[in-house]
Structure formats: C-alpha cells, structure tokens
Amino acid sequence: MSIQPLDGNGHTELGPAGALPKATLLIVDDEEGPRQALRVIFNDEYDVVTAGDGVEAIELAQTRPIDVAVLDIRMSGMSGIEVLERLRFVDPTIGVVMMTAYETTETLRQAMHLRASDYINKPFDIGTMRQAVARALERRSTGVNARQSAEKLEELKSELHQKTLDEEMLRTQSDMYASVLHDINGPLTIISGLTQLINQRIAEQEVLDGEELEMTRDQLRRITRQVTNCVEISRRYLNFLRQNPNETLRVSVNEILTDVRELLRFHPAVRSNELVIDPVRQDVHAAISGTDLIQVLLNLTVNALQSTPEPHRVALRTEQVNTSLNLSELQNGPCDRYMNFEGLKNEPPLVALSIEDNGPGIPPPTLARLFEPYFTTKPRGQGTGLGLCIVQRLVREAHGAIHVHSVVGQGTRFTVYLPGLSNER
Ligand SMILES: Nc1ncnc2c1ncn2[C@@H]1O[C@H](COP(=O)(O)OP(=O)(O)OP(=O)(O)O)[C@@H](O)[C@H]1O
Ligand SMILES: [Mg+2]
C-alpha cells in the first residue's frame, strides 16, 4: 500500500512541480544526539522538524500539520506521555512512535492508551525505527479516513433526520387541513338544517310576526353561533400550523356542556335517540381551550349517536377526580384501549368526561385500530375516519388521556381525562 502524506484536513496535495509533497515527521527529544541521528535517517523521505522539549513540539504541531511524531518518553520538563496527550488534542490522528529506555509497564500502558502505534527501545536499530515510522504513517491515514467517513456518516444522518422531519411536517399539515374540513362539517350541517327551516317558513309567509318571527330570530342567532364556531375552528388550526406557544388555558366544563347540548339540538345524528347531558353539580375547570373541548365532546358524542341506526341512549357525564390515577393497573385488552396515559399530567384534580352508549359495542380488532387516521367502518362517503384521530391529538396537546371500554352487545364508554384546575384559581 502506498501512503501519501495528508494535510491537516486529511487531503493529499501535490507539490509545486506536481510531485507528491513529503509527509511531515516531528522528532521530539531533549538530547541533541538522537534528534540529529533521526533527522539524518528520515531527511530524504520526510519533511523533518525537530523539537527539544514538549512546549516547542506542541507549538510546532499547532502551526503546521504533522503526520508522524517520534517522541522520547523521558525528557526534562514535559514528559513524552504528556506531549502525546497534548498532541492528541491538537490532532487525534497523528501517528506516534515512542522512544523508551527502561520504562515501567505502566508508562507503556499509558502510551498505548493514548494510541501510540509503537514503542522502540533506545538505542534504536535503524531498520526497526523506519518500519515503526512507516506503520505510524499508515495508521494516521487510516485514522483520517475513518474520521472522514464518520463525519460523512454524521452529515448523512442529520440530513436524513431533517428530511424525515420535513416529511412529518408536511404529513401533519395535510392531516390538519383534512381535520379542518372534518370539524367544520359539523357546524355546516347545523347551519344547513337551520337555513332550510327558515327558508320553508319564509316561502309560506308574506309577513313574519309573533311566535314565528321570534323562532326565526332564534334560528338566526344559532346560525351566527355556528359561523363563529367555524371561524374559531379555522383559527385554531392556523395557530397549530404557526406553532403558537400555548397560553394558559382554563375552561368551565358546565359552560361547554351547555354549548354541546345546544350544538346537538339540530344535529341529524340525534334522530330518535335519547341524549342525556348532565351538568356537574359543582362546576369544574379543565386546562384546555373551549373550542378544543367542544370538538372532543362533539366527535365522541356524534360517534356514539351514529353507532347504530336503532334508537339507543347516549349519556355524557363529568366527574372531578381528586387523586392521581394508578397507571400501573392500566393495560390494553379485548375490551379496553388506553391512549396517551404516558403523557397524562397525572396530578389531582383531574376532570373525567365520559360518553357512554348502549349501542353495538366495538369488536376487539376494531378497538385496536380506532385512533388510526382515516380508519372508519362507515360506508364510503359517510365517514372520514378522522374524528378519533382529532380527539386524540387535542387531548394529547392538553396533556390528557383517553380510556375506551367497550363490550360487544352492551355498548361503549369513552372516558377523557384532562388536567383540572382547582376552583379558587
Ligand atoms: N361509540 C362507538 N360505538 C361503536 N363504534 C365506534 C364508536 N365510536 C367510534 N367507533 C368506531 O370508530 C371508527 C372511527 O371513528 P372516527 O370518529 O375516527 O371516524 P368516523 O366516525 O368513522 O368518521 P367521521 O368522524 O368522519 O364521521 C368508526 O368508524 C366506528 O367504527
Ligand atoms: Mg366520527
């Protein structure tokens, strides 16, 4: 193998006339005799520089690239081991040959630990010294190559990481656009129902007064609320995309329950089902934005209402939990699915909101896939399969968690745990 000298960056460079430049050999010995002897031996092959002590040697190594150093271990002032240690800081790939007289094994062990490639006994034999220096040079070029490969690998790794992040961002963004459309669909359904009612009424009447006028006003108020809701939904997702830091969030659960009841009054999913929304006797506050909590409860309640076309019952209940949850007992099973308990801010008070139905229940294979984006069992065109994925994201962002308990033939209960806020605050 032919070895070419390397510059400080590990590159080989051609000399002025196109000839290969010589490798630089640093000789460090506090005795004039061996220094000169080594200079004579290597002068033709190497660009030889010499130093009479450690300080001079380090200064030289700092000002020019050194390929190989021959160091005497026993020197007055800085010892050869210390020089080696410092050289390693300047350039970890310099090839090093140590010259020893009668060293202890501990000194030799230190030298090997600092990756000296050889140690030669003084007085040295010229052939052995030549071979040792050649091996040290070879080792340096291997070290430089290895370092370059490692650096390249690191570069590639970080490029790959950045690419994965960019793709993840894009994917999240397109999921979010789909989420906006999904969430806005609810209010739009209500708006559409109410406008139909108003249209029918004004088509039949020349003049509106009394009860009918009042009813129309009320419906227009509801439409306005839904339009505001749409605007808030789009604003929320725009905030997500801009990655705004979260402000301190606090919402009255009873106010939200009233909103949800209002919102569902005209929702087609209610049909002839029984919907019970119980307020909490003593109001509790949850650490989440109002629009987010409405969205979570609406998605879960509409799912429960849509679980079967048969008339059934859906109940939304709230409870304040004044202890932390015992997470060690929670385990996914055929009837239970636990989501995001690892991210739950498990400090009392917690708010537990449950949506329970006596619908068909969820078979275990479906239960396992419930929160996957675009997973739906609804006929084509009827469900996007994004509802639960949105619920999960909103709950996760609020440092909450979700438990689903479902028994086929009996029904399903979704419980959302959210960090609560004590009422005094
Ligand atoms: N209460 C429930 N009872 C039975 N199955 C449910 C219940 N809630 C959710 N599921 C199942 O979970 C699936 C995924 O629900 P998700 O809300 O994510 O999407 P979707 O309701 O199908 O579509 P979209 O929300 O767009 O209407 C549903 O298709 C249904 O199979
Ligand atoms: Mg849904």
Side-chain angles (χ1 to χ4, degrees), residues 182 299 302-303 306 378 386-388:
H182 177 279
N299 276 327
V302 170
N303 275 354
Q306 290 172 337
K378 291 178 184 163
L386 279 172
L388 288 180

Side-chain angles (χ1 to χ4, degrees), residues 234-259:
S234 64
R235 186 174 302 145
R236 177 178 81 215
Y237 284 104
L238 284 176
N239 281 347
F240 269 147
L241 295 177
R242 288 195 204 112
Q243 300 191 321
N244 274 5
N246 276 354
E247 72 270 38
T248 323
L249 300 165
R250 180 190 179 90
V251 74
S252 143
V253 171
N254 271 349
E255 275 175 28
I256 296 298
L257 292 178
T258 311
D259 284 350

